[in-house]
Short mmCIF file of all heavy atoms in Angstrom, two decimals:
data_model
loop_
_atom_site.label_atom_id
_atom_site.label_comp_id
_atom_site.label_asym_id
_atom_site.label_seq_id
_atom_site.Cartn_x
_atom_site.Cartn_y
_atom_site.Cartn_z
N ILE A 747 224.00 26.87 102.54
CA ILE A 747 225.31 27.46 102.20
C ILE A 747 225.50 28.81 102.89
O ILE A 747 226.52 29.07 103.48
CB ILE A 747 225.45 27.60 100.66
CG1 ILE A 747 225.49 26.22 100.00
CG2 ILE A 747 226.70 28.42 100.30
CD1 ILE A 747 225.34 26.27 98.46
N ASN A 748 224.50 29.66 102.81
CA ASN A 748 224.58 30.98 103.44
C ASN A 748 224.74 30.84 104.97
O ASN A 748 225.50 31.58 105.59
CB ASN A 748 223.35 31.80 103.11
CG ASN A 748 223.39 32.36 101.71
OD1 ASN A 748 224.46 32.54 101.10
ND2 ASN A 748 222.20 32.63 101.15
N ALA A 751 228.25 29.81 105.73
CA ALA A 751 229.13 31.00 105.65
C ALA A 751 229.00 31.90 106.86
O ALA A 751 229.98 32.41 107.40
CB ALA A 751 228.82 31.77 104.37
N ARG A 752 227.78 32.05 107.35
CA ARG A 752 227.52 32.88 108.55
C ARG A 752 228.24 32.34 109.75
O ARG A 752 228.72 33.10 110.60
CB ARG A 752 226.01 32.95 108.82
CG ARG A 752 225.64 33.90 109.94
CD ARG A 752 224.17 33.80 110.33
NE ARG A 752 223.88 32.53 111.05
CZ ARG A 752 224.10 32.33 112.35
NH1 ARG A 752 224.62 33.28 113.09
NH2 ARG A 752 223.80 31.17 112.92
N ASP A 794 227.72 27.80 93.02
CA ASP A 794 226.93 28.65 93.88
C ASP A 794 227.53 28.73 95.29
O ASP A 794 227.54 29.81 95.91
CB ASP A 794 225.48 28.14 93.98
CG ASP A 794 224.71 28.13 92.68
OD1 ASP A 794 225.18 28.81 91.73
OD2 ASP A 794 223.63 27.48 92.62
N CYS A 795 227.99 27.57 95.77
CA CYS A 795 228.59 27.54 97.10
C CYS A 795 229.84 28.41 97.14
O CYS A 795 230.03 29.20 98.08
CB CYS A 795 228.91 26.09 97.45
SG CYS A 795 229.73 25.89 99.06
N ILE A 796 230.66 28.27 96.14
CA ILE A 796 231.93 29.07 96.10
C ILE A 796 231.61 30.54 96.09
O ILE A 796 232.24 31.34 96.79
CB ILE A 796 232.76 28.64 94.86
CG1 ILE A 796 233.29 27.23 95.09
CG2 ILE A 796 233.90 29.64 94.60
CD1 ILE A 796 233.84 26.58 93.80
N GLU A 797 230.63 30.95 95.28
CA GLU A 797 230.26 32.37 95.21
C GLU A 797 229.79 32.91 96.56
O GLU A 797 229.95 34.09 96.85
CB GLU A 797 229.13 32.56 94.20
CG GLU A 797 229.55 32.40 92.76
CD GLU A 797 228.39 32.57 91.81
OE1 GLU A 797 227.21 32.32 92.24
OE2 GLU A 797 228.63 32.93 90.64
N ARG A 798 229.15 32.03 97.36
CA ARG A 798 228.58 32.49 98.62
C ARG A 798 229.54 32.38 99.80
O ARG A 798 229.21 32.84 100.91
CB ARG A 798 227.29 31.67 98.90
CG ARG A 798 226.14 32.12 97.99
CD ARG A 798 225.02 31.11 97.93
NE ARG A 798 223.89 31.61 97.18
CZ ARG A 798 223.84 31.68 95.86
NH1 ARG A 798 224.88 31.31 95.11
NH2 ARG A 798 222.76 32.16 95.25
N MET A 799 230.72 31.72 99.63
CA MET A 799 231.68 31.61 100.72
C MET A 799 232.59 32.83 100.69
O MET A 799 233.14 33.16 99.67
CB MET A 799 232.53 30.34 100.56
CG MET A 799 231.87 29.09 101.04
SD MET A 799 231.36 29.19 102.74
CE MET A 799 229.84 28.23 102.58
N PRO A 800 232.81 33.42 101.85
CA PRO A 800 233.75 34.57 101.92
C PRO A 800 235.12 34.16 101.42
O PRO A 800 235.51 32.97 101.53
CB PRO A 800 233.77 34.94 103.41
CG PRO A 800 232.48 34.39 103.96
CD PRO A 800 232.17 33.17 103.15
N PRO A 801 235.89 35.04 100.83
CA PRO A 801 237.19 34.73 100.22
C PRO A 801 238.16 34.03 101.18
O PRO A 801 239.04 33.30 100.74
CB PRO A 801 237.73 36.08 99.78
CG PRO A 801 236.55 36.99 99.68
CD PRO A 801 235.54 36.47 100.68
N GLY A 802 238.05 34.25 102.47
CA GLY A 802 239.00 33.68 103.42
C GLY A 802 238.78 32.22 103.73
O GLY A 802 239.59 31.58 104.41
N VAL A 803 237.67 31.65 103.28
CA VAL A 803 237.36 30.24 103.61
C VAL A 803 238.01 29.32 102.59
O VAL A 803 237.88 29.53 101.38
CB VAL A 803 235.80 30.01 103.60
CG1 VAL A 803 235.47 28.56 103.90
CG2 VAL A 803 235.11 30.94 104.58
N THR A 842 232.77 35.00 87.53
CA THR A 842 232.61 35.18 88.96
C THR A 842 233.68 34.40 89.74
O THR A 842 234.53 33.75 89.12
CB THR A 842 231.20 34.78 89.38
OG1 THR A 842 230.96 35.18 90.71
CG2 THR A 842 230.94 33.31 89.24
N TYR A 843 233.65 34.40 91.06
CA TYR A 843 234.74 33.84 91.87
C TYR A 843 234.25 33.74 93.31
O TYR A 843 233.15 34.21 93.64
CB TYR A 843 236.01 34.67 91.77
CG TYR A 843 235.72 36.15 91.97
CD1 TYR A 843 235.62 36.68 93.25
CD2 TYR A 843 235.46 36.98 90.89
CE1 TYR A 843 235.34 38.04 93.47
CE2 TYR A 843 235.13 38.34 91.07
CZ TYR A 843 235.09 38.82 92.37
OH TYR A 843 234.74 40.15 92.56
N GLN A 844 235.11 33.13 94.17
CA GLN A 844 234.72 32.94 95.58
C GLN A 844 234.40 34.29 96.28
O GLN A 844 235.17 35.22 96.22
CB GLN A 844 235.87 32.23 96.33
CG GLN A 844 235.48 31.92 97.79
CD GLN A 844 236.50 31.04 98.46
OE1 GLN A 844 237.29 30.38 97.78
NE2 GLN A 844 236.48 31.03 99.78
N GLY A 845 233.27 34.29 96.91
CA GLY A 845 232.88 35.48 97.69
C GLY A 845 232.05 36.51 96.91
O GLY A 845 231.55 37.46 97.51
N ALA A 846 231.90 36.28 95.62
CA ALA A 846 231.18 37.29 94.79
C ALA A 846 229.77 37.50 95.28
O ALA A 846 229.20 38.58 95.12
CB ALA A 846 231.19 36.88 93.34
N LYS A 847 229.15 36.47 95.87
CA LYS A 847 227.77 36.59 96.34
C LYS A 847 227.70 36.38 97.87
O LYS A 847 226.63 36.02 98.36
CB LYS A 847 226.86 35.60 95.61
CG LYS A 847 226.64 35.96 94.15
CD LYS A 847 225.56 35.10 93.56
CE LYS A 847 225.33 35.44 92.09
NZ LYS A 847 224.45 34.52 91.43
N ALA A 848 228.83 36.53 98.56
CA ALA A 848 228.82 36.29 100.00
C ALA A 848 228.00 37.41 100.68
O ALA A 848 228.16 38.57 100.38
CB ALA A 848 230.23 36.25 100.56
N LEU A 849 227.17 37.00 101.61
CA LEU A 849 226.39 37.95 102.36
C LEU A 849 227.27 38.54 103.46
O LEU A 849 228.24 37.94 103.85
CB LEU A 849 225.18 37.26 102.98
CG LEU A 849 224.17 36.63 102.06
CD1 LEU A 849 223.09 35.89 102.83
CD2 LEU A 849 223.57 37.64 101.10
N ARG A 850 226.94 39.72 103.90
CA ARG A 850 227.69 40.32 105.01
C ARG A 850 226.89 40.05 106.29
O ARG A 850 225.70 40.34 106.32
CB ARG A 850 227.86 41.83 104.81
CG ARG A 850 228.84 42.13 103.75
CD ARG A 850 229.04 43.61 103.59
NE ARG A 850 229.79 43.91 102.38
CZ ARG A 850 231.10 43.86 102.31
NH1 ARG A 850 231.81 43.53 103.41
NH2 ARG A 850 231.75 44.12 101.20
N PHE A 851 227.56 39.51 107.28
CA PHE A 851 226.86 39.19 108.52
C PHE A 851 227.37 40.06 109.66
O PHE A 851 228.57 40.29 109.72
CB PHE A 851 227.04 37.70 108.90
CG PHE A 851 226.53 36.76 107.84
CD1 PHE A 851 227.38 36.11 106.98
CD2 PHE A 851 225.16 36.56 107.72
CE1 PHE A 851 226.91 35.24 106.02
CE2 PHE A 851 224.66 35.69 106.75
CZ PHE A 851 225.54 35.01 105.89
#
Side-chain angles (χ1 to χ4, degrees):
I747 292 169
N748 285 335
R752 185 189 71 80
D794 295 347
C795 177
I796 290 166
E797 287 178 335
R798 286 163 174 77
M799 279 304 143
V803 179
T842 190
Y843 48 84
Q844 185 172 339
K847 291 189 180 173
L849 301 177
R850 290 182 190 278
F851 300 104

